[in-house]
Amino acid sequence: MVDRVLIVGGLKVNFYTYAGVVKALDGIDIDLRPNETHGLVGETGCGKSVTVHSLIKLIPMPPGKIEGGRALLHAPVTCRTCRGKGCPECGGSGTLDTCEACGGATKCVKCRGFGRYKDGKSCRTCGASGLCASCGGSGSRYLDLLALSAKQMREIRGGSISMILQEPMSALNPVLTVAEQVGEAFYYHQRAALVHGTLAALDRALKDIETSRKSRWRRPILRWYRFLYRRMERDPESRLLQSLRRVPVVRRYHRWLAREMRAQSLDALNMVRIPSPEKVLDSYPHELSGGMMQRVVISIALASHPRVLIADEPTTALDVTIQSQILRLMADLKGQLGTAIIFITHDLAVIAQVCDRVSVMYAGTIAESAPTLPIFREPLHPYTRGLVRAIPGPHEDVQRLPEIAGSVPNLVTPPSGCRFHPRCPFAKAVCKEEKPLLLEARPSHRVACHMYGPYAEQWTDADRLLPQEVVTR
Amino acid sequence: MTDDAIFRVENLKVHFPILGGVLRRPIGWVQAVDGVSFAIHRGETLGVVGESGCGKTTIGRALLRLVDARVGSIWYTPRGKDGGSPTPIALSKLPRRQVRALRSKIQIIFQDPSSSLDPRMLVKNAVAEPIRIHKMTALRCTRCERLVPIHRERPGATCEACGGPTESVRLKGADLEARVVELLQRVGLNPEHLFRFPHEFSGGQKQRIAITRALVIKPEFLVLDEPTSALDVSVQAQILNLLKDLQKEYGLTYLFISHHLAVVRHMADRIAVMYLGKFIEVAGKAAFFANPLHPYAKGLLEAVPIPDPERRRELHLMTGEVPSPIEPPLGCRFHPRCPVALPHCGWEGRDLARALEEASQAEGSPIAGAIEEMDSDGFALRIRMKGDPEASARALEAFLEGEKARGRALFQAVASVASEEGELVVRFLKALEPELKEVEPGHAVACYLY
């Protein structure tokens, strides 16, 4: 197993508008580990949604433009020798997982891992990191999401990476039934499994006819269907089948696939614990409540067994009681399917309940990234510290909520250096001039703040306390 | 009761008609608020919490007469003039024209500031508009021509800057602008913001403008309808603190409506929990959070995520969703979702129909395929059988008995099973809706457990 399913590094996105260039993302780094729920938290407009939308190229281009960085999705390929059955060459796993560029050595191919050329110039291929640029230094096979063609991207979206949106009502099509919409997910991303199931059903029907000696006249028709589906199994995009679907009467062969689609959709709805799924399949989105719709959206997102599930504020539009049901459902399903989740929300309480790791975003940058507990117990970045203290808890009384002074900057003219410095109570001259890098301040706790970087000695211990914290100690 | 109640609401019912048919006559009523009584005391904050669609917003709107009550009365007691004793006004029966005059005393702040501000109005005009409409006056120093700050206005007050005598003037021109600037600065905006349009502000700033707009006419009562749910956490903290400060400074009374229990806890003195158009629990803040009594209130409190990763909980979750307020459940409205429901909580035909439908879909169920049609009628359910009616009826009766023995409240509530005209009729114990009852001083709950 690889240690990271998704590596995002230095992602930079600008929007070219009439009001100026909006520097929406300024170097985003995210590492998503397998089977992990990674929270992305921040205020409105800080770029949470832009980050994940640019991963699957859902941002409007133009005005948006991905200026730089990389987004690598772990994508092992089926072993060519054994075709996925498992052989010594692939170690019995059926898949090959070695980076083609570096052959698993993780070194940069251009600078051979030194990060610099002989003349002292930094290697631009690997960004002076010395690590292989095409696999992000992991040695495993990765797919560069930002370099994919539109057609390849279409397969990734809803396939390897799928998404749950905030508003289930606008995520679902109001003029199609639930069955059509869930079935569609299977049709486009699980065609092989569908055809396989259909063939099994046809075989069963044929066997039935043989044994029970009734209505033998259907046999040639079913055999013809079986022929068609076998063809579809070999070539999912077959021209012949696509034309046959337009011919009246002949297109009836599709009913077998539709039946299989419905059966799979029913299973999917059962998985997300929808009561009386048969009834729900035949209803339109407006007949369902918000919580039910969100369950349907989740079942669509999980239909393709995605490697990465992006949940973009999945519970913001729901009531607390429904929210807790949905959060619990997602946690259970994650355990079952082993999907890694990027969980976007502005609600820190939800993060505390569901996430393993958290990245705190501020004005298009990652301020801090760490496991959930340290974020809440010992946040390092001044912004995170303010944010954690500003939440009213349901189980304690405070007279006055501590607030962060000021408001979010305009991203057309973002502050120089650290983007948080105008609001930061600790800011010094260096914060205004130099942009802090996201560096590891403690084991697996990365923070982008000069207080913990190379300039750390400019702050004394007393300097690092917030005014309110001084009072309490 | 003491006489310091600013609002006294008795048996308020707000129903919205569902129109249908050729003549567009009402064919049903959405019972948004269905029999709510409460009092709000001067200077306190009453928090109303509940899920979406439970009618909390409608209560706020009814207090301002933005919607009209179908039944019930709202008594509003304005602050007595010049030490005179306050006289209650029957707000619910007042003609529209007089209600409008009263709105200078009762104001509302809406959830979404971007839609409550006119996009084509400068901040200066938007804030000045209520002053013009209500023809507000102010105290002005006759010597230095400064205004007395709005919260220090008292008859005969002297100028704060120079100590000179004051006179009452209609607010216009420079005075008007001075008043607008005074309040804008109070909520944390600058005079430079006067000549801007709403779209030039962030959400938090827009909400501040909306607050200013409500404050310029010296209200004594504010309905805060989810004032922070469209805002971010850090901005939310700013706005909540501001609202608390303003309450102290200007002596305001709040009705704070929110679905967010943590926010309500921070703001309110007393809390009312609403479910499907009814108050199910009303209590002081400390008593409520220390010991919520109603099962729904308990569930609601448990469903709130805690911002602490070390306190993740396995919840005994409330199942199901809020039923429709068009035909709310009989008896206690919460009984279909209640984890501790008793047989006499108001089980009815619809509940059994749902349970039977689920049971008949389960694999290997003894009653699979036995039911043709079910027709619920209040506390009774008529079941038409499929196939052999007698055998099916026997299977069904056995099923009911079995479930009853297992102790499910729904089946224990069955009063009689009879067969009439080839149909099986299941009747339930009749139950009334529980009334809001005071169990401890100041802690009322509507539940049969107490």
Side-chain angles (χ1 to χ4, degrees):
Chain A
M1 200 66 182
V2 285
D3 60 338
R4 291 175 294 179
V5 261
L6 184 71
I7 304 170
V8 180
L11 186 64
K12 224 171 195 175
V13 174
N14 286 351
F15 286 89
Y16 292 83
T17 65
Y18 289 113
V21 183
V22 180
K23 291 144 196 116
L25 295 186
D26 188 27
I28 295 291
D29 302 314
I30 295 172
D31 285 349
L32 187 64
R33 290 163 180 73
N35 210 4
E36 164 187 84
T37 305
H38 192 114
L40 214 53
V41 66
E43 290 174 276
T44 314
C46 72
K48 311 182 292 277
S49 294
V50 175
T51 306
V52 291
H53 281 124
S54 53
L55 292 184
I56 46 179
K57 291 200 182 158
L58 275 184
I59 52 170
M61 294 193 267
K65 194 174 173 209
I66 297 173
E67 300 283 359
R70 58 205 166 87
L72 306 172
L73 177 74
H74 181 232
V77 288
T78 316
C79 175
R80 259 169 264 115
T81 320
C82 62
R83 290 203 174 160
K85 292 193 183 92
C87 63
E89 194 184 324
C90 57
S93 65
T95 52
L96 287 177
D97 192 32
T98 318
C99 172
E100 280 154 348
C102 65
T106 81
K107 280 181 189 164
C108 172
V109 196
K110 276 277 169 63
C111 65
R112 293 177 192 172
F114 291 110
R116 285 167 196 284
Y117 296 123
K118 274 182 188 158
D119 54 1
K121 278 186 191 157
S122 299
C123 172
R124 290 170 86 188
T125 317
C126 61
S129 65
L131 299 172
C132 171
S134 57
C135 64
S138 63
S140 301
R141 199 181 286 258
Y142 279 85
L143 205 60
D144 189 355
L145 292 174
L146 302 183
L148 291 183
S149 71
K151 195 179 170 215
Q152 286 169 313
M153 194 35 111
R154 216 159 35 235
E155 269 166 38
I156 297 282
R157 277 187 218 124
S160 308
I161 303 181
S162 61
M163 197 158 178
I164 306 171
L165 293 164
Q166 177 175 356
E167 280 283 344
M169 190 71 226
S170 44
L172 294 174
N173 187 336
V175 297
L176 298 180
T177 61
V178 169
E180 285 169 285
Q181 303 190 46
V182 182
E184 196 180 50
F186 284 104
Y187 186 72
Y188 285 107
H189 295 291
Q190 292 282 304
R191 189 84 58 88
L194 272 184
V195 174
H196 192 76
T198 314
L199 278 171
L202 277 168
D203 281 339
R204 241 178 293 132
L206 279 166
K207 211 170 178 188
D208 236 26
I209 292 174
E210 302 283 344
T211 50
S212 65
R213 297 167 168 269
K214 61 179 180 189
S215 52
R216 279 174 166 262
W217 59 271
R218 288 186 69 203
R219 209 160 53 173
I221 303 176
L222 293 186
R223 285 205 179 132
W224 157 243
Y225 288 168
R226 191 166 63 179
F227 165 76
L228 288 179
Y229 281 113
R230 282 197 180 141
R231 200 180 165 103
M232 193 189 273
E233 195 178 24
R234 279 199 305 277
D235 177 16
E237 305 292 322
S238 156
R239 275 287 173 80
L240 171 71
L241 287 165
Q242 277 174 11
S243 349
L244 284 183
R245 267 203 70 185
R246 291 159 193 246
V247 184
V249 184
V250 178
R251 67 178 165 215
R252 285 190 172 196
Y253 82 90
H254 189 73
R255 289 183 184 181
W256 283 85
L257 193 72
R259 211 171 293 155
E260 181 64 24
M261 246 152 75
R262 195 182 164 87
Q264 298 252 3
S265 310
L266 198 65
D267 286 348
L269 292 194
N270 267 322
M271 194 172 69
V272 294
R273 295 189 216 124
I274 287 184
S276 49
E278 279 279 4
K279 219 154 115 194
V280 171
L281 270 183
D282 289 321
S283 42
Y284 288 90
H286 73 267
E287 297 173 83
L288 306 176
S289 66
M292 281 301 141
M293 279 194 276
Q294 198 60 289
R295 281 165 201 261
V296 171
V297 172
I298 292 175
S299 76
I300 292 174
L302 294 179
S304 56
H305 297 289
R307 303 181 62 77
V308 178
L309 175 69
I310 296 169
D312 190 356
E313 308 235 10
T315 58
T316 310
L318 307 175
D319 280 312
V320 264
T321 53
I322 311 298
Q323 165 173 294
S324 59
Q325 289 173 9
I326 296 283
L327 291 181
R328 161 111 143 233
L329 174 73
M330 287 181 65
D332 289 354
L333 291 177
K334 189 187 86 168
Q336 271 176 37
L337 302 174
T339 305
I341 301 178
I342 298 183
F343 198 103
I344 299 182
T345 178
H346 63 264
D347 191 344
L348 274 167
V350 172
I351 291 272
Q353 293 297 315
V354 300
C355 292
D356 304 316
R357 286 181 78 82
V358 188
S359 289
V360 182
M361 286 190 72
Y362 181 78
T365 55
I366 300 263
E368 189 164 358
S369 179
T372 310
L373 194 59
I375 286 278
F376 283 86
R377 285 285 173 279
E378 328 161 61
L380 295 179
H381 198 281
Y383 176 64
T384 322
R385 282 155 74 175
L387 208 58
V388 169
R389 293 157 55 84
I391 343 164
H395 296 276
E396 62 257 25
D397 284 313
V398 255
Q399 272 314 303
R400 228 188 134 67
L401 292 172
E403 37 186 271
I404 306 174
S407 55
V408 185
N410 180 352
L411 292 184
V412 176
T413 50
S416 58
C418 172
R419 285 188 173 185
F420 186 61
H421 85 257
R423 298 174 77 184
C424 182
F426 313 108
K428 296 215 166 166
V430 61
C431 301
K432 208 169 171 181
E433 285 150 16
E434 203 171 314
K435 181 178 149 61
L437 297 171
L438 191 63
L439 297 174
E440 203 155 80
R442 295 186 188 160
S444 78
H445 191 148
R446 296 197 293 170
V447 59
C449 179
H450 287 309
M451 286 205 299
Y452 308 96
Y455 299 96
E457 64 270 19
Q458 291 191 17
W459 281 268
T460 63
D461 277 351
D463 272 352
R464 297 175 192 211
L465 292 178
L466 287 164
Q468 297 97 327
E469 288 173 339
V470 178
V471 177
T472 52
R473 281 177 201 203
Chain B
M1 284 289 259
T2 48
D3 266 326
D4 67 339
I6 183 166
F7 266 101
R8 192 177 295 284
V9 176
E10 276 152 24
N11 194 27
L12 176 72
K13 288 189 182 178
V14 184
H15 294 178
F16 298 105
I18 306 162
L19 302 178
V22 186
L23 298 174
R24 312 303 298 161
R25 292 276 187 79
I27 51 168
W29 295 88
V30 177
Q31 299 168 14
V33 177
D34 198 31
V36 163
S37 309
F38 61 95
I40 305 174
H41 306 291
R42 200 170 287 281
E44 77 164 353
T45 304
L46 176 68
V48 178
V49 271
E51 291 176 277
S52 51
C54 73
K56 47 190 196 307
T57 300
T58 311
I59 287 193
R61 297 177 76 103
L63 289 190
L64 273 98
R65 281 282 301 273
L66 291 173
V67 291
D68 277 327
R70 198 174 171 204
V71 184
S73 52
I74 301 168
W75 293 89
Y76 164 59
T77 316
R79 189 170 283 165
K81 266 189 195 148
D82 309 330
S85 70
T87 40
I89 303 170
L91 195 63
S92 44
K93 305 218 163 47
L94 220 56
R96 291 239 155 244
R97 197 173 284 268
Q98 292 176 31
V99 170
R100 186 161 203 190
L102 270 186
R103 292 228 177 101
S104 71
K105 298 283 162 210
I106 315 167
Q107 280 286 314
I108 184 165
I109 289 164
F110 293 102
Q111 172 174 357
D112 184 4
S114 353
S115 50
S116 63
L117 292 172
D118 186 338
R120 293 183 299 181
M121 244 184 183
L122 287 174
V123 169
K124 171 177 167 271
N125 297 333
V127 178
E129 193 186 25
I131 301 185
R132 292 208 182 94
I133 290 173
H134 290 287
K135 305 191 174 69
M136 294 300 291
T137 56
L139 290 180
R140 188 174 62 183
C141 175
T142 48
R143 214 184 298 157
C144 65
E145 307 219 314
R146 286 203 188 93
L147 294 180
V148 175
I150 192 164
H151 56 288
R152 303 248 173 71
E153 277 182 359
R154 247 160 240 109
T158 49
C159 174
E160 294 196 336
C162 65
T166 55
E167 55 171 356
S168 178
V169 288
R170 269 281 294 283
L171 277 169
K172 53 188 167 190
D175 291 339
L176 179 61
E177 199 170 313
R179 173 53 47 92
V180 171
V181 169
E182 177 197 331
L183 279 155
L184 278 181
Q185 283 179 333
R186 179 60 200 86
V187 301
L189 296 171
N190 303 321
E192 68 184 60
H193 292 134
L194 276 177
F195 296 97
R196 290 200 194 161
F197 288 102
H199 74 263
E200 296 173 70
F201 294 95
S202 68
Q205 286 174 317
K206 273 187 234 172
Q207 197 59 289
R208 285 169 199 266
I209 296 169
I211 293 172
T212 321
R213 219 170 111 85
L215 287 180
V216 282
I217 45 175
K218 273 178 89 173
E220 52 175 354
F221 181 76
L222 275 185
V223 174
L224 305 171
D225 189 358
E226 310 233 10
T228 58
S229 54
L231 307 176
D232 283 311
V233 193
S234 65
V235 185
Q236 166 175 297
Q238 291 172 1
I239 297 288
L240 292 181
N241 285 338
L242 173 68
L243 286 169
K244 269 198 145 177
D245 294 346
L246 290 173
Q247 180 172 34
K248 228 179 277 166
E249 226 163 281
Y250 298 155
L252 298 168
T253 308
Y254 288 156
L255 178 73
F256 191 92
I257 297 167
S258 179
H259 64 275
H260 202 313
L261 264 172
V263 171
V264 173
R265 168 167 212 175
H266 182 64
M267 290 296 291
D269 303 310
R270 280 194 308 141
I271 287 174
V273 184
M274 236 184 141
Y275 186 75
L276 269 185
K278 283 260 185 192
F279 277 177
I280 51 143
E281 186 161 353
V282 181
K285 174 171 74 172
F288 177 77
F289 282 99
N291 183 24
L293 294 178
H294 200 283
Y296 175 68
K298 281 181 191 166
L300 201 62
L301 204 57
E302 275 192 12
V304 179
I306 311 176
D308 184 345
E310 277 183 319
R311 281 165 67 188
R312 291 188 188 177
R313 312 164 283 190
E314 265 312 302
L315 318 159
H316 75 90
L317 289 171
M318 237 182 290
T319 51
E321 307 196 348
V322 186
S324 148
I326 299 171
E327 278 179 74
L330 299 171
C332 172
R333 297 183 171 201
F334 183 57
H335 79 259
R337 297 174 77 191
C338 185
V340 290
L342 301 170
H344 57 269
C345 278
W347 297 98
E348 52 180 310
R350 276 179 284 168
D351 301 320
L352 183 62
R354 217 172 301 130
L356 288 180
E357 200 173 300
E358 251 168 60
S360 62
Q361 276 179 8
E363 268 175 56
S365 155
I367 57 163
I371 298 163
E372 166 96 43
E373 208 182 332
M374 288 183 283
D375 187 14
S376 60
D377 171 25
F379 285 108
L381 181 72
R382 307 178 152 272
I383 309 169
R384 193 132 35 85
M385 296 298 167
K386 222 188 266 181
D388 178 12
E390 279 190 16
S392 300
R394 251 179 281 123
L396 205 62
E397 272 171 49
F399 174 76
L400 289 178
E401 278 302 316
E403 291 290 324
K404 189 173 183 173
R406 253 191 265 166
R408 272 178 73 182
L410 162 62
F411 295 96
Q412 286 179 332
V414 174
S416 71
V417 184
S419 102
E420 290 171 15
E421 300 158 15
E423 286 177 342
L424 200 68
V425 182
V426 184
R427 290 202 170 76
F428 285 88
L429 298 170
K430 289 210 166 65
L432 293 172
E433 209 160 331
E435 296 289 321
L436 206 57
K437 213 166 48 180
E438 211 160 80
V439 249
E440 287 159 32
H443 196 153
V445 60
C447 180
Y448 282 127
L449 286 175
Y450 302 97

